[in-house]
mmCIF file of all heavy atoms in Angstrom:
data_model
loop_
_atom_site.group_PDB
_atom_site.id
_atom_site.type_symbol
_atom_site.label_atom_id
_atom_site.label_comp_id
_atom_site.label_asym_id
_atom_site.label_seq_id
_atom_site.Cartn_x
_atom_site.Cartn_y
_atom_site.Cartn_z
ATOM 1 N N GLU A 170 -15.240 26.159 9.771
ATOM 2 C CA GLU A 170 -14.722 25.857 11.117
ATOM 3 C C GLU A 170 -14.509 27.105 11.960
ATOM 4 O O GLU A 170 -14.894 27.166 13.109
ATOM 5 C CB GLU A 170 -13.440 25.039 11.012
ATOM 6 C CG GLU A 170 -13.645 23.670 10.425
ATOM 7 C CD GLU A 170 -12.758 22.648 11.056
ATOM 8 O OE1 GLU A 170 -11.746 23.039 11.668
ATOM 9 O OE2 GLU A 170 -13.054 21.433 10.954
ATOM 10 N N ALA A 171 -13.862 28.118 11.382
ATOM 11 C CA ALA A 171 -13.528 29.324 12.161
ATOM 12 C C ALA A 171 -14.731 30.215 12.399
ATOM 13 O O ALA A 171 -14.921 30.745 13.513
ATOM 14 C CB ALA A 171 -12.419 30.088 11.471
ATOM 15 N N LEU A 172 -15.608 30.389 11.367
ATOM 16 C CA LEU A 172 -16.721 31.298 11.494
ATOM 17 C C LEU A 172 -17.970 30.588 12.032
ATOM 18 O O LEU A 172 -18.436 30.874 13.134
ATOM 19 C CB LEU A 172 -16.993 31.964 10.161
ATOM 20 C CG LEU A 172 -18.161 33.009 10.154
ATOM 21 C CD1 LEU A 172 -17.838 34.129 11.118
ATOM 22 C CD2 LEU A 172 -18.338 33.557 8.763
ATOM 23 N N PHE A 173 -18.492 29.660 11.235
ATOM 24 C CA PHE A 173 -19.726 28.955 11.662
ATOM 25 C C PHE A 173 -19.493 28.145 12.913
ATOM 26 O O PHE A 173 -20.370 28.013 13.751
ATOM 27 C CB PHE A 173 -20.214 28.075 10.526
ATOM 28 C CG PHE A 173 -20.935 28.831 9.416
ATOM 29 C CD1 PHE A 173 -20.248 29.229 8.318
ATOM 30 C CD2 PHE A 173 -22.262 29.157 9.537
ATOM 31 C CE1 PHE A 173 -20.865 29.929 7.281
ATOM 32 C CE2 PHE A 173 -22.912 29.859 8.515
ATOM 33 C CZ PHE A 173 -22.193 30.245 7.397
ATOM 34 N N GLY A 174 -18.311 27.550 13.026
ATOM 35 C CA GLY A 174 -17.997 26.757 14.201
ATOM 36 C C GLY A 174 -18.010 27.547 15.501
ATOM 37 O O GLY A 174 -18.280 27.012 16.559
ATOM 38 N N SER A 175 -17.708 28.848 15.403
ATOM 39 C CA SER A 175 -17.724 29.671 16.596
ATOM 40 C C SER A 175 -19.073 30.314 16.861
ATOM 41 O O SER A 175 -19.351 30.753 17.991
ATOM 42 C CB SER A 175 -16.658 30.806 16.462
ATOM 43 O OG SER A 175 -16.964 31.623 15.339
ATOM 44 N N LEU A 176 -19.930 30.386 15.846
ATOM 45 C CA LEU A 176 -21.216 31.065 15.991
ATOM 46 C C LEU A 176 -22.387 30.098 16.080
ATOM 47 O O LEU A 176 -23.385 30.385 16.765
ATOM 48 C CB LEU A 176 -21.450 31.996 14.808
ATOM 49 C CG LEU A 176 -20.433 33.134 14.647
ATOM 50 C CD1 LEU A 176 -20.732 33.963 13.373
ATOM 51 C CD2 LEU A 176 -20.414 34.056 15.865
ATOM 52 N N VAL A 177 -22.326 28.956 15.379
ATOM 53 C CA VAL A 177 -23.433 28.031 15.329
ATOM 54 C C VAL A 177 -23.051 26.741 16.076
ATOM 55 O O VAL A 177 -22.212 25.989 15.602
ATOM 56 C CB VAL A 177 -23.818 27.687 13.872
ATOM 57 C CG1 VAL A 177 -25.009 26.766 13.821
ATOM 58 C CG2 VAL A 177 -24.052 28.941 13.085
ATOM 59 N N PRO A 178 -23.669 26.488 17.260
ATOM 60 C CA PRO A 178 -23.287 25.328 18.049
ATOM 61 C C PRO A 178 -23.394 23.996 17.270
ATOM 62 O O PRO A 178 -22.556 23.146 17.367
ATOM 63 C CB PRO A 178 -24.271 25.370 19.222
ATOM 64 C CG PRO A 178 -24.630 26.807 19.365
ATOM 65 C CD PRO A 178 -24.672 27.349 17.947
ATOM 66 N N GLY A 179 -24.459 23.832 16.494
ATOM 67 C CA GLY A 179 -24.643 22.577 15.752
ATOM 68 C C GLY A 179 -23.542 22.314 14.757
ATOM 69 O O GLY A 179 -23.214 21.175 14.453
ATOM 70 N N ALA A 180 -22.939 23.367 14.216
ATOM 71 C CA ALA A 180 -21.898 23.187 13.201
ATOM 72 C C ALA A 180 -20.622 22.594 13.795
ATOM 73 O O ALA A 180 -19.832 21.993 13.087
ATOM 74 C CB ALA A 180 -21.570 24.526 12.528
ATOM 75 N N ARG A 181 -20.455 22.746 15.087
ATOM 76 C CA ARG A 181 -19.260 22.273 15.733
ATOM 77 C C ARG A 181 -19.176 20.728 15.741
ATOM 78 O O ARG A 181 -18.089 20.171 15.788
ATOM 79 C CB ARG A 181 -19.196 22.769 17.167
ATOM 80 C CG ARG A 181 -19.120 24.272 17.262
ATOM 81 C CD ARG A 181 -19.305 24.775 18.675
ATOM 82 N NE ARG A 181 -19.436 26.244 18.701
ATOM 83 C CZ ARG A 181 -19.859 26.932 19.739
ATOM 84 N NH1 ARG A 181 -20.214 26.287 20.858
ATOM 85 N NH2 ARG A 181 -19.987 28.240 19.669
ATOM 86 N N THR A 182 -20.332 20.086 15.630
ATOM 87 C CA THR A 182 -20.320 18.615 15.584
ATOM 88 C C THR A 182 -19.648 18.128 14.303
ATOM 89 O O THR A 182 -19.057 17.031 14.286
ATOM 90 C CB THR A 182 -21.757 18.095 15.656
ATOM 91 O OG1 THR A 182 -22.406 18.611 16.817
ATOM 92 C CG2 THR A 182 -21.766 16.553 15.727
ATOM 93 N N LEU A 183 -19.695 18.905 13.239
ATOM 94 C CA LEU A 183 -19.085 18.543 11.954
ATOM 95 C C LEU A 183 -17.765 19.290 11.771
ATOM 96 O O LEU A 183 -17.473 19.746 10.667
ATOM 97 C CB LEU A 183 -20.060 18.827 10.813
ATOM 98 C CG LEU A 183 -21.391 18.107 10.886
ATOM 99 C CD1 LEU A 183 -22.285 18.547 9.738
ATOM 100 C CD2 LEU A 183 -21.183 16.607 10.864
ATOM 101 N N SER A 184 -16.997 19.424 12.797
ATOM 102 C CA SER A 184 -15.741 20.160 12.765
ATOM 103 C C SER A 184 -14.583 19.301 13.210
ATOM 104 O O SER A 184 -14.587 18.765 14.314
ATOM 105 C CB SER A 184 -15.858 21.395 13.692
ATOM 106 O OG SER A 184 -14.601 21.978 13.903
ATOM 107 N N VAL A 185 -13.614 19.137 12.330
ATOM 108 C CA VAL A 185 -12.412 18.372 12.632
ATOM 109 C C VAL A 185 -11.730 19.016 13.869
ATOM 110 O O VAL A 185 -11.161 18.308 14.706
ATOM 111 C CB VAL A 185 -11.447 18.302 11.460
ATOM 112 C CG1 VAL A 185 -10.120 17.656 11.847
ATOM 113 C CG2 VAL A 185 -12.074 17.578 10.283
ATOM 114 N N GLN A 186 -11.800 20.339 13.937
ATOM 115 C CA GLN A 186 -11.189 21.044 15.061
ATOM 116 C C GLN A 186 -11.768 20.563 16.393
ATOM 117 O O GLN A 186 -11.038 20.258 17.331
ATOM 118 C CB GLN A 186 -11.416 22.531 14.889
ATOM 119 C CG GLN A 186 -10.946 23.371 16.086
ATOM 120 C CD GLN A 186 -11.409 24.833 15.963
ATOM 121 O OE1 GLN A 186 -11.660 25.306 14.872
ATOM 122 N NE2 GLN A 186 -11.469 25.502 17.079
ATOM 123 N N GLN A 187 -13.088 20.469 16.443
ATOM 124 C CA GLN A 187 -13.732 20.028 17.687
ATOM 125 C C GLN A 187 -13.449 18.583 17.977
ATOM 126 O O GLN A 187 -13.323 18.197 19.153
ATOM 127 C CB GLN A 187 -15.248 20.285 17.598
ATOM 128 C CG GLN A 187 -15.655 21.735 17.619
ATOM 129 C CD GLN A 187 -15.264 22.429 18.911
ATOM 130 O OE1 GLN A 187 -15.403 21.865 19.996
ATOM 131 N NE2 GLN A 187 -14.815 23.681 18.812
ATOM 132 N N TRP A 188 -13.381 17.756 16.988
ATOM 133 C CA TRP A 188 -13.057 16.346 17.182
ATOM 134 C C TRP A 188 -11.695 16.197 17.801
ATOM 135 O O TRP A 188 -11.465 15.406 18.711
ATOM 136 C CB TRP A 188 -13.121 15.561 15.900
ATOM 137 C CG TRP A 188 -14.420 15.677 15.164
ATOM 138 C CD1 TRP A 188 -15.615 16.101 15.672
ATOM 139 C CD2 TRP A 188 -14.656 15.382 13.764
ATOM 140 N NE1 TRP A 188 -16.570 16.109 14.678
ATOM 141 C CE2 TRP A 188 -16.019 15.677 13.513
ATOM 142 C CE3 TRP A 188 -13.843 14.954 12.739
ATOM 143 C CZ2 TRP A 188 -16.583 15.497 12.257
ATOM 144 C CZ3 TRP A 188 -14.412 14.750 11.485
ATOM 145 C CH2 TRP A 188 -15.764 15.030 11.240
ATOM 146 N N SER A 189 -10.717 16.973 17.291
ATOM 147 C CA SER A 189 -9.368 16.875 17.790
ATOM 148 C C SER A 189 -9.244 17.456 19.208
ATOM 149 O O SER A 189 -8.524 16.933 20.060
ATOM 150 C CB SER A 189 -8.380 17.586 16.874
ATOM 151 O OG SER A 189 -8.653 18.972 16.815
ATOM 152 N N LEU A 190 -10.035 18.494 19.486
ATOM 153 C CA LEU A 190 -10.035 19.097 20.822
ATOM 154 C C LEU A 190 -10.640 18.105 21.849
ATOM 155 O O LEU A 190 -10.276 18.152 23.032
ATOM 156 C CB LEU A 190 -10.818 20.401 20.847
ATOM 157 C CG LEU A 190 -10.155 21.587 20.144
ATOM 158 C CD1 LEU A 190 -11.064 22.790 20.136
ATOM 159 C CD2 LEU A 190 -8.819 21.909 20.819
ATOM 160 N N SER A 191 -11.573 17.266 21.401
ATOM 161 C CA SER A 191 -12.155 16.262 22.289
ATOM 162 C C SER A 191 -11.072 15.302 22.790
ATOM 163 O O SER A 191 -11.068 14.895 23.965
ATOM 164 C CB SER A 191 -13.261 15.519 21.572
ATOM 165 O OG SER A 191 -13.823 14.528 22.400
ATOM 166 N N VAL A 192 -10.134 14.959 21.886
ATOM 167 C CA VAL A 192 -9.027 14.101 22.274
ATOM 168 C C VAL A 192 -8.119 14.825 23.269
ATOM 169 O O VAL A 192 -7.675 14.277 24.270
ATOM 170 C CB VAL A 192 -8.249 13.616 21.041
ATOM 171 C CG1 VAL A 192 -7.085 12.731 21.473
ATOM 172 C CG2 VAL A 192 -9.159 12.864 20.070
ATOM 173 N N ALA A 193 -7.823 16.097 22.944
ATOM 174 C CA ALA A 193 -6.946 16.887 23.790
ATOM 175 C C ALA A 193 -7.568 17.083 25.186
ATOM 176 O O ALA A 193 -6.827 17.160 26.183
ATOM 177 C CB ALA A 193 -6.680 18.240 23.143
ATOM 178 N N GLU A 194 -8.874 17.180 25.242
ATOM 179 C CA GLU A 194 -9.567 17.443 26.510
ATOM 180 C C GLU A 194 -9.271 16.318 27.536
ATOM 181 O O GLU A 194 -9.200 16.567 28.735
ATOM 182 C CB GLU A 194 -11.050 17.530 26.269
ATOM 183 C CG GLU A 194 -11.870 17.924 27.507
ATOM 184 C CD GLU A 194 -13.342 18.094 27.169
ATOM 185 O OE1 GLU A 194 -13.768 17.708 26.070
ATOM 186 O OE2 GLU A 194 -14.083 18.615 28.030
ATOM 187 N N LYS A 195 -9.117 15.096 27.030
ATOM 188 C CA LYS A 195 -8.871 13.957 27.927
ATOM 189 C C LYS A 195 -7.419 13.927 28.413
ATOM 190 O O LYS A 195 -7.108 13.228 29.401
ATOM 191 C CB LYS A 195 -9.194 12.651 27.194
ATOM 192 C CG LYS A 195 -10.650 12.555 26.779
ATOM 193 C CD LYS A 195 -11.578 12.631 27.978
ATOM 194 C CE LYS A 195 -13.027 12.539 27.543
ATOM 195 N NZ LYS A 195 -13.958 12.669 28.707
ATOM 196 N N VAL A 196 -6.542 14.673 27.749
ATOM 197 C CA VAL A 196 -5.134 14.670 28.120
ATOM 198 C C VAL A 196 -4.796 15.824 29.063
ATOM 199 O O VAL A 196 -4.027 15.647 30.003
ATOM 200 C CB VAL A 196 -4.271 14.734 26.849
ATOM 201 C CG1 VAL A 196 -2.766 14.801 27.217
ATOM 202 C CG2 VAL A 196 -4.526 13.573 25.931
ATOM 203 N N ALA A 197 -5.375 16.995 28.781
ATOM 204 C CA ALA A 197 -5.063 18.199 29.565
ATOM 205 C C ALA A 197 -5.673 18.154 30.940
ATOM 206 O O ALA A 197 -6.560 17.346 31.251
ATOM 207 C CB ALA A 197 -5.543 19.415 28.789
#
Side-chain angles (χ1 to χ4, degrees):
E170 294 217 341
L172 182 59
F173 284 95
S175 62
L176 299 177
V177 184
R181 297 170 189 166
T182 305
L183 301 177
S184 167
V185 174
Q186 175 189 337
Q187 290 297 320
W188 305 342
S189 64
L190 288 177
S191 179
V192 179
E194 186 177 12
K195 298 301 179 181
V196 177

